[in-house]
Amino acid sequence: MKNPLDRRITAALFTVAALTTSTSTIAQSSRSRRQIVVAVADTAKAIEADTLQDVVVTSAGVTRRLSQKQAGAEKIDMKELSSLPAIFGERDVMKSIQLLPGVKSDGDGSSGYQVRGGTTSQNIVLLDNAIVYNSGHLMGLFSSFNDDALAAATLYKGNSPARLGGGVSSVFEIGTRQGNLFSHRFSAGVGLLAARCIAEGPIREGEASYLVAARRSYLDLFLRMTDNYSDTKLNFYDVNAKVAWRLGQKDNISLSFIRTSDEMEMLHALSMEWANMAASLRWFHTFSPDVFLTTWVTASKFNSDAGMKMASDAYTINGFVRHAAINANLNWTPSSAHRVQAGWQSQLVNLRSAEWEAPPVKEKEQRSAWQNDFWLQDDWKPTDNLEIGAGLRVNVFTVLGGPQYYEVDEDGEIVKRYETSRGENFKTRAYFEPRLNVNLTISDELSFRAAYSRTTQNIHAIRTSTATAMPIDRYTMTSNLIRPMVANQASLGVTVATDRHDYDLSAEVYYKLIDHVYDYRDGMSWMSWIEMERLVLGGKGRSYGAELCLHKNEGPLKGWISYTLSWSENKIPGISNGDWYTASNDRRHDFSVVTTYALNKAWELSAAWVFNTGQALTAPSAKYDINGETYYYYASRNGYRAPAYHRLDISASHKKQLSAKVERQISFGFYNLYNRKNPYMVIFENDDDKPSGTKATKVSLFGIVPSISYLVKF
């Protein structure tokens, strides 16, 4: 039967958004190469460089962009990131990629991002090779990643090496840094709403090191000082830790860990909690100067829980996604012209799409699977000017028995059920994923690149609403009815620079076609049924567009201007008469201007202005009143748009050496300087004073938000 929580939970989510909106009012009132602090032995340097492999950031300059063999790859310079404007005084790697061409923010203040017409759920985030879901604090206002603990990152916009997979839109690979091998270092900082600290140093000098970084918000302290929200909880924390050992000349081992947690509670009636935990054990072994093996053992889990009390009744809903994996990647360099990679990954996946208790209803849907991936890639350089990367990845996904599986008719009604034994092979699907990248360097100022890739994704997140991604979005996986998303993408790009490399311009066009895109049936929502296959319909998606980016690389004033023109559409039988319709994540125009200005050795100024077309949304065409209840009729899916989004952020930072061992940095700025009321969500409500009888209410998350932070390093 239909779940009684459907309407109540949806209403409660709007309440949460309203509460989050109030936080802005409260707030208003109240490395060129990765930096290594000391020099280490040559062997340790070589090992550390391989630790991140393609993730290592060499330079943010034009030389790297001209020689970039992986089309669609964006390497994040952590030093450049530290000078960008920050929300609430917090630097954020997830926010920084939203300023890149082809990447759009999922919504105001959100750490979610959309890549080349894809949805947030079509991205995969890897932290030290462990999968991290919903990587945002406070409904996505902050990233779950403490930038103090990060070494480097690369965003692959669909065209990724064969060793990476799992996301049909992008793979974001992030590496944590190891601690200082020779001296103990500490730093502590205080921002507008959170405090952070980091400690690092040697366990055994030159051989083993530790790093611990932690953050905790104190927004709940501000809430206690208000009359309306004194009983409200709204806080987060995260902890990163890493220990690394050098075991002789041929072996290196590291163990990293992350734990994040968020808690929200309002008036002891509505509560939400979500958390991530991931651990990675890495062993690097050198067989010879030309052959080495990297082995990872990882485990990760994402939990979400929500509860609501109404009178004497209590309602709860929870879900989780868990992964346990082993990954081995062998690198062999048989000659100066070839670099070969081959590997295998095996992982167990356990997913609970939902478990809810709403007396007298108590239901649960939970699934398990075993996934195996195999890959082979050769990066071939036949001439000094030509590089070709060709690879193949094979994805084998086995649905495991134990829970109940079923068949449904065209209306979503169950017509057949399968009883399965725990652990049995219920359904296996295998897909081949070819990858090809070509980079042609004409001169020191001109290069061309082309790419084709096929990727598959077996984990699907079905968004709660048309608003931004939320912690309680429901997840599902490939089954007998749900098929993996399969994306085929082709791209062509060029980079041209001036003679002195002080300016460079990059342009890239792409076309992506995705099979088995899923969306809700008409009239269905995330809480209509416990069985996910009854809620959704599958079809095709396509996106295409062009990306332009102009960089200024020299002088005290640096930065870039980027523009993306894109289209994103879906075609799903049973929705919009089976015709192509605009996807909810379609944003036609996206424009960013990012600048930093080094005033002198102490002062640095920065600014970022963004503009994008309003998000597509579904608006009611008519409404009916039945027994005092209002029901809306929707003639078309995503036929309307929210107002355009734009804002300006600015910041300034000042560094001062207080003593030989102590450095102080103070940063301040403004998020949304001209106080633009951008739409966070649009709610349709009754309005008897209007001829249509309906009004659209725009909910805005932020106005102008000041920020200040103070950091001490010693």
Side-chain angles (χ1 to χ4, degrees):
M1 65 178 181
K2 272 203 173 185
N3 191 283
L5 277 183
D6 194 357
R7 282 177 167 269
R8 298 175 184 177
I9 291 292
T10 303
L13 291 174
F14 291 142
T15 308
V16 172
L19 169 63
T20 313
T21 305
S22 70
T23 63
S24 63
T25 304
I26 296 168
Q28 292 176 57
S29 64
S30 32
R31 277 184 198 282
S32 51
R33 190 165 178 86
R34 190 179 68 182
Q35 264 187 329
I36 300 178
V37 181
V38 296
V40 296
D42 290 341
T43 302
K45 284 183 178 179
I47 293 174
E48 182 64 18
D50 176 69
T51 300
L52 295 176
Q53 296 179 14
D54 290 333
V55 187
V56 173
V57 173
T58 56
S59 171
V62 61
T63 302
R64 173 176 57 78
R65 287 188 285 273
L66 283 164
S67 60
Q68 176 65 53
K69 69 174 181 291
Q70 194 75 41
E74 298 280 0
K75 296 188 177 182
I76 311 303
D77 189 318
M78 304 307 290
K79 183 179 179 180
E80 188 177 69
L81 168 63
S82 67
S83 62
L84 296 180
I87 181 173
F88 298 132
E90 291 289 326
R91 307 299 177 187
D92 194 329
V93 68
M94 305 302 287
K95 295 291 192 300
S96 71
I97 64 174
Q98 297 172 8
L99 299 172
L100 298 173
V103 185
K104 305 177 181 66
S105 169
D106 198 32
D108 205 356
S110 173
S111 60
Y113 57 96
Q114 303 169 1
V115 178
R116 289 185 170 178
T119 66
T120 298
S121 64
Q122 293 171 357
N123 307 316
I124 185 171
V125 179
L126 300 175
L127 183 68
D128 286 343
N129 227 48
I131 298 176
V132 179
Y133 290 95
N134 206 296
S135 53
H137 288 306
L138 298 183
M139 304 289 287
L141 304 186
F142 295 89
S143 161
S144 296
F145 304 124
N146 189 332
D147 289 354
D148 292 330
L150 304 184
T154 297
L155 175 70
Y156 297 96
K157 296 185 290 189
N159 298 304
S160 58
R163 63 182 177 84
L164 297 175
V168 294
S169 282
S170 75
V171 177
F172 193 24
E173 193 175 30
I174 307 173
T176 59
R177 65 184 184 89
Q178 72 175 41
N180 195 298
L181 281 168
F182 294 97
S183 62
H184 297 278
R185 303 294 176 93
F186 305 91
S187 66
V190 178
L192 185 63
L193 297 178
R196 66 189 191 274
C197 64
I198 183 170
E200 59 179 305
I203 299 174
R204 177 176 295 179
E205 188 171 305
E207 296 182 10
S209 67
Y210 72 91
L211 181 144
V212 179
R215 241 183 347 170
R216 209 277 190 191
S217 71
Y218 36 77
L219 180 59
D220 47 340
L221 301 181
F222 288 99
L223 293 173
R224 290 174 189 171
M225 295 186 292
T226 66
D227 294 331
N228 295 331
Y229 301 107
S230 59
D231 294 330
T232 298
K233 292 182 181 180
L234 196 60
N235 56 67
F236 72 83
Y237 74 83
D238 55 57
V239 178
N240 286 84
K242 188 170 187 176
V243 180
W245 302 268
R246 289 180 55 213
L247 305 178
Q249 297 297 314
K250 293 188 175 182
D251 295 281
N252 194 8
I253 294 177
S254 64
L255 176 63
S256 60
F257 172 83
I258 182 174
R259 163 74 177 179
T260 74
S261 179
D262 283 76
E263 182 180 17
M264 298 177 62
E265 184 176 336
M266 184 176 64
L267 304 175
H268 304 293
L270 176 66
S271 64
M272 293 175 60
E273 296 181 25
W274 62 98
N276 272 295
M277 183 182 294
S280 299
L281 175 64
R282 174 189 172 275
W283 172 36
F284 174 85
H285 177 73
T286 302
F287 294 97
S288 71
D290 300 325
V291 182
F292 56 87
L293 176 69
T294 307
T295 303
W296 296 89
V297 178
T298 61
S300 65
K301 66 177 182 179
F302 168 71
N303 298 330
S304 64
D305 299 274
M308 185 169 60
K309 295 180 181 178
M310 300 183 67
S312 60
D313 296 326
Y315 307 92
T316 61
I317 179 171
N318 64 74
F320 61 71
V321 187
R322 298 172 180 171
H323 292 260
I326 182 170
N327 176 302
N329 188 64
L330 180 69
N331 282 261
W332 175 40
T333 309
S335 69
S336 60
H338 291 272
R339 182 193 175 199
V340 179
Q341 294 187 62
W344 158 77
Q345 175 175 274
S346 183
Q347 63 176 315
L348 291 174
V349 185
N350 192 5
L351 184 151
R352 177 179 293 171
S353 69
E355 179 180 23
W356 57 52
E357 185 172 356
V361 177
K362 185 176 183 179
E363 297 178 300
K364 177 178 71 173
E365 182 174 74
Q366 187 168 327
R367 302 278 173 85
S368 298
W370 182 29
Q371 179 172 317
N372 287 274
D373 299 281
F374 309 86
W375 61 86
L376 177 65
Q377 178 156 334
D378 182 13
D379 294 321
W380 177 36
K381 193 171 183 179
T383 69
D384 290 340
N385 297 331
L386 179 63
E387 293 183 76
I388 301 173
L392 177 66
R393 184 182 180 92
V394 181
N395 174 264
V396 182
F397 193 86
T398 300
V399 182
L400 298 179
Q404 194 175 81
Y405 296 91
Y406 43 86
E407 302 284 350
V408 300
D409 61 19
E410 60 181 13
D411 297 321
E413 297 297 329
I414 297 176
V415 296
K416 182 179 180 180
R417 297 182 183 271
Y418 298 98
E419 298 295 336
T420 60
S421 301
R422 182 178 178 86
E424 76 169 271
N425 181 345
F426 177 67
K427 182 72 175 180
T428 296
R429 301 183 189 274
Y431 289 85
F432 293 89
E433 305 177 22
R435 314 284 175 88
L436 178 65
N437 278 277
V438 179
N439 186 75
L440 177 63
T441 303
I442 304 299
S443 67
D444 290 341
E445 290 76 38
L446 178 63
S447 69
F448 294 90
R449 57 193 175 274
Y452 165 77
S453 67
R454 177 182 294 163
T455 52
T456 63
Q457 181 173 333
N458 289 288
I459 306 297
H460 310 259
I462 311 300
R463 183 173 281 185
T464 300
S465 67
T466 57
T468 58
M470 302 187 71
I472 54 175
D473 288 347
R474 292 188 62 179
Y475 288 81
T476 188
M477 66 166 67
T478 296
S479 66
N480 59 312
L481 296 179
I482 300 290
R483 299 177 67 89
M485 285 184 286
V486 180
N488 289 275
Q489 178 174 284
S491 62
L492 182 65
V494 60
T495 298
V496 59
T498 57
D499 292 343
R500 304 175 69 175
H501 284 192
D502 47 353
Y503 291 90
D504 70 271
L505 174 67
S506 297
E508 197 159 323
V509 295
Y510 67 90
Y511 184 89
K512 179 168 57 178
L513 182 64
I514 307 179
D515 291 326
H516 316 308
V517 171
Y518 290 92
D519 205 346
Y520 284 112
R521 295 172 181 267
D522 288 335
M524 292 292 179
S525 73
W526 66 300
M527 289 289 292
S528 296
W529 305 103
I530 193 70
E531 300 92 353
M532 286 296 293
E533 284 95 335
R534 302 181 65 185
L535 301 179
V536 299
L537 292 172
K540 294 181 178 293
R542 66 184 179 191
S543 59
Y544 48 94
E547 304 166 358
L548 299 172
C549 192
L550 174 66
H551 284 85
K552 185 180 186 301
N553 306 303
E554 302 296 335
L557 179 65
K558 299 179 181 180
W560 68 86
I561 300 173
S562 68
Y563 170 71
T564 304
L565 173 66
S566 62
W567 289 261
S568 183
E569 300 171 313
N570 292 335
K571 184 178 183 180
I572 301 177
I575 299 177
S576 291
N577 299 316
D579 298 325
W580 287 102
Y581 64 92
T582 301
S584 61
N585 50 292
D586 179 272
R587 309 273 186 92
R588 193 59 39 82
H589 305 281
D590 183 65
F591 190 74
S592 300
V593 181
V594 182
T595 63
T596 61
Y597 184 75
L599 193 61
N600 50 46
K601 291 183 178 181
W603 281 98
E604 186 170 57
L605 313 178
S606 63
W609 183 76
V610 297
F611 171 93
N612 56 62
T613 303
Q615 185 165 337
L617 55 88
T618 303
S621 304
K623 70 175 185 178
Y624 305 93
D625 186 283
I626 302 176
N627 298 325
E629 290 283 343
T630 299
Y631 296 87
Y632 291 106
Y633 170 73
Y634 300 89
S636 63
R637 183 75 59 99
N638 300 326
Y640 299 85
R641 285 198 181 270
Y645 178 101
H646 54 90
R647 73 170 199 273
L648 173 65
D649 307 334
I650 63 171
S651 71
S653 64
H654 182 267
K655 295 180 180 180
K656 185 176 182 180
Q657 200 74 32
L658 301 180
S659 69
K661 294 184 178 181
V662 181
E663 178 185 301
R664 179 269 293 162
Q665 178 176 326
I666 184 169
S667 302
F668 55 89
F670 291 91
Y671 178 92
N672 195 5
L673 181 64
Y674 51 80
N675 200 34
R676 164 74 175 178
K677 300 297 184 182
N678 286 302
Y680 180 69
M681 63 173 63
V682 178
I683 305 172
F684 297 95
E685 302 173 305
N686 286 329
D687 188 349
D688 295 332
D689 296 330
K690 289 196 170 192
S692 65
T694 303
K695 67 176 180 179
T697 302
K698 180 181 72 173
V699 178
S700 298
L701 186 60
F702 291 121
I704 181 173
V705 181
S707 67
I708 186 169
S709 64
Y710 187 90
L711 178 67
V712 178
K713 298 180 180 180
F714 53 95

